[in-house]
């Protein structure tokens, strides 16, 4: 292979890997990746079911307007009774902040009950 072809191939490869690195997930994407599985509204989401049992007015995280950043941050870092903690290597403080901003500004979805009527 001549030198010029090799060089331009390297340039193309470099450009590809760079554009992938630039795609940093935002608050909504990190919420979907790290929190939604347990915290989305409706049945089948363990956190929503437990928080509904605990009497929170809005059992899902989306739609909660009463959450303070410091409280959410310490729950995320330390975990709770059944919630696992997240390390800085998984989510940075800035990413936790973005998730928080997303949660308190997102349009609340329709809240179907997570628990069957008793
Ligand atoms: C494996 C399931 C699971 C995941 C993943 C999870 N949580 Fe939780 N979370 C829970 C459960 C269950 C509770 C209810 C309290 C308890 O018993 O731990 C909870 C409680 C909370 C609370 C306290 C709410 C209140 O009203 O006191 C906050 C805040 C919270 N989670 C934020 C988050 C955020 C932000 C993420 C994503 C970074 C997340 N959680 C990911 C399971 C999870």
């Amino acid at each position: 292979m001549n030198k010029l072809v090799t060089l331009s191939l390297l340039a193309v490869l470099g450009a590809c890997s760079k554009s992938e690195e630039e795609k940093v997930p935002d608050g909504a994407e990190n919420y979907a990746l790290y929190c939604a599985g347990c915290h989305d509204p409706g049945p089948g989401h363990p956190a929503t079911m437990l928080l509904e049992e605990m009497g929170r007015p809005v059992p899902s995280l989306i739609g909660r307007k009463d959450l303070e950043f410091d409280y959410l941050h310490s729950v995320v870092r330390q975990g709770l009774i059944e919630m696992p903690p997240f390390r800085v290597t998984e989510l940075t403080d800035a990413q936790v902040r973005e998730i928080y901003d997303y949660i308190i500004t997102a349009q609340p979805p329709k809240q179907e009950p997570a628990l069957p009527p008793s």
Side-chain angles (χ1 to χ4, degrees), residues 25-110:
D26 62 13
E29 284 162 341
N30 277 329
Y31 167 82
L33 279 171
Y34 293 100
C35 322
C38 292
H39 279 285
D40 259 359
H45 301 107
T48 307
M49 292 164 78
L50 207 73
L51 290 169
E52 185 170 308
E53 217 169 74
M54 287 158 74
R56 298 289 189 271
V58 176
S60 71
L61 287 185
I62 302 287
R64 287 283 295 265
K65 303 287 175 202
D66 62 318
L67 283 177
E68 300 280 344
F69 174 70
D70 287 350
Y71 174 64
L72 178 134
H73 181 263
S74 73
V75 169
V76 168
R77 285 285 175 253
Q78 277 142 53
L80 223 59
I81 309 156
E82 297 195 25
M83 176 170 152
F86 291 84
R87 275 167 274 153
V88 188
T89 46
E90 297 168 290
L91 286 170
T92 63
D93 284 344
Q95 286 172 319
V96 175
R97 180 84 223 187
E98 283 175 3
I99 291 176
Y100 174 78
D101 290 342
Y102 168 68
I103 286 171
I104 57 157
T105 52
Q107 196 65 319
K110 208 172 148 265

Side-chain angles (χ1 to χ4, degrees), residues 2-25:
N2 79 39
K3 239 185 200 156
L4 196 67
V5 174
T6 315
L7 279 179
S8 43
L9 267 179
L10 283 177
V12 169
L13 286 175
C16 289
S17 61
K18 199 170 171 214
S19 67
E20 264 171 37
E21 267 169 37
E22 278 166 7
K23 234 184 81 213
V24 179

